Amino acid sequence: MDDFIAARSQMALSLGFHIIFSCIGMVMPFFMAVAHYYYLKTDNIVYKNITKAWSKGVAIFFATGAVSGTVLSFELGLLWPKFMEHAGPIFGMPFSLEGTAFFIEAIALGFFLYGWDRFNKWFHWITGVVVGVSGLASGILVVAANAWMNSPAGFDFVNGEYLNVDPMKAMFNDAWFSQSLHMCIAAFAATGFAVAGVHALMIVRRQNVYFHTKSFTIAAIFGCAAALIQPLSGDISAKDVAKRQPAKLAAMEAHFHTEKAAGLVVGGIPDEKAKDVNFGVKIPGLLSFMAHGDFNSEVTGLDKFPEENQPPVAITHYAFQIMVGLGMAMMGIAFLYFLALFKKKKWLQSDWLLKLFVAATPLGFIAVEAGWTVTEVGRQPWIIYNVMRTADAVTPMPGISYSFYMFTAMYVSLGMIVTFMLYRQIKMVDKLYDLPTGAKH
């Protein structure tokens, strides 16, 4: 493995792990706050138990997210020094503000975890809400920095120099809103389905049913609502990418030839040499409509770009298909759940519906990983779109492959430790908070 591929692989590995921790850290506090609110309004002890159980999970993911996020910040400077030399002064504002949001989140989490029976009950609840709001703000700010890489703004690039820097324009670039919206909704969907899936498994096993049923309902409503809303943000993102990064859109759809009334390819195996897609199903005109709102509009293909400026088609296309496919599956489950909630209440007691959620536990996070693959691989060969190539930003330091192997071992170990801690936490929950059905005090 050469050093360039090793550097990219290490960054991808670090991001792949961190994004799971950050998504859960962004979203779980809101679940926690809802359960806490129900406890304060109803005095039902099960909601207090749910809040305490979830707060311990939040603490675990906050700690691991903080460590993995810190590693990422060091990796930006160590692996991509040329990038940080020029980009740091331009897009440093969202990172500095993210640090502020992180500190607020840490302080509020400390207040919440140790504030039981010490603070006014509503002030205590507010500290939990602050954990969620600051975590969400932290995620949005990081995504805004990534969006700048896809849509550079806030500077003039003249003769290889970055002049007239405007950090505010850089932070609020053309891509920040669509990317942040899509990422936040994806985090709610992924975390909601994952948490609901774990509680659904416990219900199917008939373990502490009352506790897990209440927990499942909160998580499922969040996750299913997000899954149904997600296509709207996806449409906004698709139109935005078609406008700003037509090469990325072409790679996502394996759209090799510029044409009007372009068809949307479902599935398929791209053949980059023959410039064609094998075994795919093409829906006439739909790509044109999704990209430009007109079934007859022209969609730019990869043939409009020099080969050295084209993203890797196969990886981008497969990742996009996985993201969309899993998103559609989650939408289907969400539709069934809301149908059960409002019309077919008997379904809520059925194992088949719960087992659907159990099967869907990892789908959201797989979709999130696939979506980030589309975002990052689809931007290649640029680290700053149309300004700086990724190959020009990498460190000249040798031996990066050894660093990659070391970090791989470290993250695998971290993943195993977190999994063990969560497994133990779930077991402890059933021992500590096992209440008979209908119990309130």
Side-chain angles (χ1 to χ4, degrees):
M1 181 183 291
D2 65 49
D3 289 335
F4 176 59
I5 296 299
R8 289 187 61 190
S9 299
Q10 182 174 323
M11 202 72 191
L13 177 74
S14 302
L15 277 168
F17 269 85
H18 179 68
I19 199 170
I20 295 175
F21 303 142
S22 60
C23 282
I24 297 173
M26 286 165 56
V27 173
M28 278 295 292
F30 290 101
F31 297 2
M32 182 179 76
V34 170
H36 193 189
Y37 177 80
Y38 279 137
Y39 167 64
L40 295 177
K41 296 298 288 185
T42 66
D43 202 33
N44 187 340
I45 193 67
V46 76
Y47 287 117
K48 180 179 182 180
N49 294 340
I50 292 169
T51 305
K52 286 192 170 184
W54 279 348
S55 67
K56 292 175 182 177
V58 169
I60 291 171
F61 282 104
F62 178 83
T64 51
V67 172
S68 59
T70 303
V71 170
L72 273 170
S73 64
F74 281 113
E75 285 179 335
L76 280 172
L78 293 173
L79 298 178
W80 312 102
K82 286 294 182 183
F83 168 70
M84 291 304 296
E85 176 186 351
H86 299 291
I90 302 171
F91 81 148
M93 180 175 285
F95 276 129
S96 61
L97 293 175
E98 189 274 336
T100 302
F102 171 79
F103 283 124
I104 294 172
E105 182 182 6
I107 293 168
L109 182 60
F111 280 175
F112 187 82
L113 291 174
Y114 299 103
W116 290 99
D117 303 320
R118 291 181 175 89
F119 296 140
N120 171 276
K121 64 179 184 179
W122 287 107
F123 174 78
H124 184 219
W125 176 76
I126 287 172
T127 62
V129 175
V130 171
V131 174
V133 172
S134 55
L136 193 63
S138 179
I140 290 172
L141 289 164
V142 170
V143 173
N146 177 266
W148 178 84
M149 297 163 68
N150 290 308
S151 181
F155 66 98
D156 295 323
F157 187 61
V158 181
N159 297 325
E161 294 187 36
Y162 298 77
L163 307 174
N164 303 322
V165 172
D166 186 336
M168 291 299 292
K169 284 185 178 179
M171 184 166 67
F172 296 108
N173 55 79
D174 290 341
W176 84 270
F177 176 76
S178 61
Q179 278 196 213
S180 297
L181 179 67
H182 198 60
M183 183 64 229
C184 289
I185 296 174
F188 273 92
T191 305
F193 269 83
V195 174
V198 171
H199 290 293
L201 179 62
M202 297 297 106
I203 298 170
V204 170
R205 291 179 175 177
R206 304 295 184 261
Q207 296 179 10
N208 202 351
V209 173
Y210 185 60
F211 174 92
H212 289 295
T213 298
K214 295 296 185 183
S215 305
F216 169 80
T217 301
I218 295 171
I221 288 175
F222 269 105
C224 291
L228 292 176
I229 296 171
Q230 187 69 310
L232 299 177
S233 71
D235 181 65
I236 293 171
S237 295
K239 287 179 169 58
D240 182 60
V241 169
K243 181 180 178 181
R244 292 183 300 95
Q245 294 178 292
K248 178 185 284 186
L249 180 70
M252 288 160 57
E253 282 297 328
H255 184 60
F256 290 99
H257 306 289
T258 301
E259 61 181 348
K260 293 183 178 180
L264 181 75
V265 175
V266 179
I269 301 174
D271 185 339
E272 296 186 51
K273 290 184 178 180
K275 310 297 182 187
D276 198 7
V277 181
N278 300 317
F279 311 113
V281 177
K282 194 174 236 186
I283 305 174
L286 190 56
L287 180 58
S288 291
F289 178 77
M290 291 179 65
H292 303 294
D294 181 354
F295 285 100
N296 295 310
S297 64
E298 182 176 271
V299 179
T300 304
L302 290 166
D303 57 353
K304 291 291 186 180
F305 304 93
E307 287 199 9
E308 64 270 18
N309 291 343
Q310 294 179 11
V313 177
I315 295 175
T316 309
H317 177 71
Y318 295 143
F320 180 68
Q321 296 290 311
I322 290 170
M323 179 186 71
V324 173
L326 295 181
M328 295 296 290
M330 293 164 67
M331 279 184 64
I333 296 173
F335 175 78
L336 289 174
Y337 178 72
F338 282 123
L339 184 62
L341 201 61
F342 294 109
K343 294 289 185 181
K344 305 283 187 180
K345 292 192 180 294
K346 288 184 179 180
W347 291 2
L348 296 175
Q349 311 301 322
S350 303
D351 279 0
W352 67 265
L353 184 61
L354 293 169
K355 287 178 180 178
L356 279 178
F357 276 94
V358 174
T361 300
L363 298 189
F365 286 114
I366 296 172
V368 167
E369 298 285 8
W372 272 96
T373 300
V374 172
T375 299
E376 296 302 298
V377 177
R379 189 181 62 246
Q380 300 307 313
W382 308 98
I383 191 167
I384 307 175
Y385 187 63
N386 282 341
V387 175
M388 177 184 286
R389 289 180 175 272
T390 308
D392 295 333
V394 72
T395 178
M397 182 179 69
I400 299 299
S401 58
Y402 299 107
S403 174
F404 167 66
Y405 300 137
M406 181 185 70
F407 271 82
T408 299
M410 182 184 73
Y411 276 114
V412 169
S413 301
L414 181 62
M416 293 171 65
I417 292 169
V418 171
T419 301
F420 169 74
M421 292 177 67
L422 290 175
Y423 176 78
R424 191 179 69 168
Q425 179 62 27
I426 292 169
K427 289 293 184 183
M428 289 176 62
V429 162
D430 283 331
K431 289 180 181 179
L432 292 175
Y433 303 137
D434 191 6
L435 294 173
T437 301
K440 287 194 174 185
H441 300 286

